[in-house]
Amino acid sequence: MKKFTQRFKLPDSHTASENNRRDFLRKGLLGGLSMGLMFDGKPEKEMEFITQKVKRDSKPSELKITDMRIAHLQGVPFKSPIIRIDTNQGLVGWGEVRDGASPNYALMLKSRLLGQNPCNVEKIFKEIKQFGGHGRAAGGVCGVEMALWDLAGKAYNVPVYQMLGGKYRDEVRLYADTPEISDPSTFAKKLKETRLDKGYTFLKMDFGIGLLAGKPGMLIGDNVWKLSQRDNKTKTVGNYGMTKHPFTRIQITDKGLEYIAEYVSKIREGVGYNIPVSADHFGHFDVNTAIRLGKAVEKYQLAWLEDLVPWFYTDQWKQISDAIETPTLTGEDIFLKEEFIKLINAKAVDMIHPDLASSGGILETKKIGDYAEEHGIPMAMHFAGSPISFMANVHCAAATENFVALEHHGVDVEGWEDIVTGNKPLVVNGFAPVPNKPGLGVELNEEVAKKFLIKDQKWFAPTDEWNAKDSWDRDWS
């Protein structure tokens, strides 16, 4: 009989399992009761507690912006406010206000961002772009746009370029800006040792009326303008740097043009003709002088002449472009695609040159490049900031077909690459590898970045004073 009844007895393992089930239910019930008491019967609070360790970056549709703060850096190579946007899922997005611009251009946008889903990049951009303007005034809108793309990429676990339609290249060619040196032989030596020997395949140099200042018989009308900070002249008729080019009435004489031509000749001898060399910072003079200067250096086959006159003088740009053989280029201070479209439609320039931190950010700059590409116009990209903005440029350049080269202004800044972690090294033999990591592909290295913090500035201090929206933003009736 004993053996007979044992045939119907549950196995020990089943008994143990049943006991475990009962224990789980008992503990679960007690836990549920305790949570109910802890959160006063609020299910949403209970769920938040239960799932507090659950990884949330797989829920982009529920991502919300909760905060935005700024750390203002200097020497990267100039002053650059770094934007940090926080979210309810722990994801952080990095952006950068353009060099030389106020952090307030970004902070005043905070009240328009709180509670929004950063993955709706274009929607948010259309809401805030009314607060941008040409030059540095665009810095806040563009910096925020960079951070939104960084967040969207992290939320969907893809690099930014992928969300722009994919990439045309795995490496982005860089052109290295090199500050002017008055002696051309010394300048050529610096270009070779600090640029070419590091693998750069595209250069930019500065030359213009600053080289001629104080030299007899080379300039006309410069005696009433302070052409540089080193100039100790006291008799001036205005602020040279803030006076538009045609209104200074400064002219270059034949002797001055010969001096500049000789200067460029020695640079060419030093670096050779197999390397593209572009040029910038000529000074403030009129369209006639610009044409004479362009013709004087024509035989040295420069890659482009940049910002000979302000970008908004479309007719004057066309005059210059039609008169000289060297390619013309402008655009680093233009905000949004509409003004680029005017230049392109008028056939006023041979190339365009947006600065992503002024032109409208990553997507708007790609749209600018795409429009230019449809009209046979190449796009170079201006840049003079930290590695955060650099990586935004790299993604845009990778995704834009007519891209030529991206400026790198921080070649000589010690520790520049260490400001970020992630996609390292940022530059390899004059090219920037395009990262495959989500978002921009880098994170701020706070330990290093703090060394560049402007003295007496706080590190990502609270910005609650910018939380409240205090205006009606609709720009139509």
Side-chain angles (χ1 to χ4, degrees):
M1 186 69 178
K2 184 177 180 182
K3 290 182 179 179
F4 177 79
T5 56
Q6 283 180 339
R7 290 167 60 187
F8 297 97
K9 185 178 180 181
L10 295 174
D12 291 343
S13 60
H14 180 85
T15 304
S17 176
E18 181 67 15
N19 289 338
N20 289 340
R21 185 180 70 85
R22 289 174 180 172
D23 188 53
F24 172 79
L25 290 172
R26 181 178 60 81
K27 290 180 178 179
L29 180 61
L30 291 173
L33 288 171
S34 63
M35 269 194 290
L37 293 171
M38 184 188 306
F39 297 112
D40 196 25
K42 295 178 180 177
E44 70 278 4
K45 292 291 184 181
E46 293 176 20
M47 184 58 65
E48 183 179 341
F49 180 81
I50 292 169
T51 62
Q52 62 183 315
K53 293 185 179 181
V54 175
K55 191 173 179 64
R56 298 173 184 267
D57 56 5
S58 60
K59 295 185 178 180
S61 62
E62 298 177 14
L63 195 62
K64 301 294 180 186
I65 294 171
T66 57
D67 198 8
M68 182 173 77
R69 301 188 181 193
I70 301 281
H72 204 169
L73 308 186
Q74 64 180 352
V76 292
F78 307 110
K79 290 183 178 179
S80 294
I82 304 299
I83 297 171
R84 190 189 79 198
I85 294 181
D86 297 329
T87 67
N88 62 331
Q89 295 179 15
L91 295 181
V92 174
W94 301 104
E96 180 175 337
V97 181
R98 186 175 171 183
D99 59 287
S102 169
N104 291 347
Y105 288 138
L107 289 171
M108 62 88 61
L109 302 173
K110 182 183 178 183
S111 62
R112 282 96 181 161
L113 303 174
L114 292 176
Q116 295 233 46
N117 186 331
C119 296
N120 297 323
V121 182
E122 188 169 32
K123 171 183 175 292
I124 296 174
F125 176 72
K126 287 181 177 180
E127 292 173 359
I128 65 174
K129 71 177 183 179
Q130 63 178 296
F131 302 107
H134 298 300
R136 267 63 182 179
V141 172
C142 300
V144 164
E145 199 260 9
M146 292 180 212
L148 296 178
W149 278 116
D150 190 30
L151 283 167
K154 289 171 178 174
Y156 288 106
N157 199 35
V158 293
V160 169
Y161 73 77
Q162 198 67 65
M163 295 184 288
L164 301 177
K167 59 182 177 177
Y168 286 93
R169 52 194 62 85
D170 295 323
E171 294 180 313
V172 168
R173 190 183 191 183
L174 305 177
Y175 76 85
D177 185 88
T178 310
E180 178 183 297
I181 297 175
S182 57
D183 178 62
S185 299
T186 304
F187 192 25
K189 185 172 183 288
K190 181 177 181 180
L191 286 170
K192 185 177 185 308
E193 293 178 352
T194 66
R195 303 297 188 261
L196 298 182
D197 289 353
K198 289 184 177 180
Y200 288 93
T201 62
F202 204 124
L203 304 175
K204 187 162 84 171
M205 60 186 290
D206 298 342
F207 67 83
I209 61 177
L211 292 171
L212 309 179
K215 294 180 172 62
M218 296 198 179
L219 292 175
I220 298 170
D222 69 313
N223 58 317
V224 292
W225 296 103
K226 185 176 180 180
L227 299 185
S228 72
Q229 296 298 320
R230 300 183 299 275
D231 191 342
N232 293 320
K233 293 186 179 75
T234 55
K235 184 179 180 181
T236 64
V237 293
N239 185 328
Y240 168 77
M242 298 303 290
T243 301
K244 296 180 181 68
H245 296 43
F247 310 137
T248 67
R249 305 318 304 156
I250 295 174
Q251 296 173 295
I252 307 176
T253 66
D254 286 345
K255 184 178 179 181
L257 291 173
E258 290 170 7
Y259 185 94
I260 288 176
E262 180 63 20
Y263 183 92
V264 176
S265 172
K266 289 182 178 178
I267 300 299
R268 263 302 184 203
E269 289 175 12
V271 302
Y273 276 86
N274 62 322
I275 296 291
V277 180
S278 56
D280 188 15
H281 293 298
F282 305 106
H284 294 196
F285 44 69
D286 64 14
V287 63
N288 310 89
T289 300
I291 291 171
R292 294 182 71 232
L293 175 61
K295 288 181 176 180
V297 299
E298 220 156 60
K299 65 181 180 180
Y300 303 113
Q301 204 70 44
L302 296 175
W304 68 66
L305 299 179
E306 178 179 334
D307 293 333
L308 285 160
V309 294
W311 63 264
F312 41 77
Y313 291 134
T314 306
D315 292 342
Q316 292 189 14
W317 270 112
K318 184 164 176 55
Q319 278 184 266
I320 296 168
S321 298
D322 288 347
I324 66 176
E325 299 299 324
T326 303
T328 55
L329 168 148
T330 194
E332 69 181 69
D333 292 312
I334 298 178
F335 179 50
L336 304 180
K337 62 184 179 297
E338 286 74 17
E339 296 296 336
F340 282 99
I341 289 172
K342 290 178 185 178
L343 283 167
I344 293 166
N345 288 352
K347 297 179 173 57
V349 289
D350 298 299
M351 301 177 68
I352 58 167
H353 195 224
D355 187 308
L356 185 146
S358 277
S359 58
I362 295 172
L363 180 57
E364 186 77 358
T365 305
K366 175 171 167 51
K367 289 179 180 180
I368 291 164
D370 288 346
Y371 187 85
E373 181 261 323
E374 290 173 357
H375 292 76
I377 303 293
M379 180 179 77
M381 296 175 71
H382 181 273
F383 163 74
S386 87
I388 297 293
S389 184
F390 179 79
M391 293 312 300
N393 277 272
V394 166
H395 284 274
C396 182
T400 310
E401 184 176 7
N402 64 333
F403 166 79
V404 175
L406 167 66
E407 184 167 18
H408 186 10
H409 234 295
V411 180
D412 301 320
V413 177
E414 186 176 352
W416 185 82
E417 288 204 8
D418 297 330
I419 293 172
V420 294
T421 61
N423 181 57
K424 305 288 285 290
L426 300 182
V427 179
V428 179
N429 294 324
F431 287 79
V434 179
N436 289 317
K437 293 185 177 180
L440 295 180
V442 294
E443 299 289 336
L444 192 69
N445 184 344
E446 298 200 20
E447 182 180 350
V448 174
K450 281 180 181 179
K451 298 176 183 177
F452 292 89
L453 187 67
I454 295 177
K455 186 179 180 182
D456 299 327
Q457 292 285 315
K458 293 182 179 179
W459 183 254
F460 291 114
T463 54
D464 293 346
E465 66 273 23
W466 297 94
N467 287 359
K469 185 177 177 181
D470 59 358
S471 73
W472 178 243
D473 291 344
R474 193 176 74 186
D475 57 358
W476 49 272
S477 297

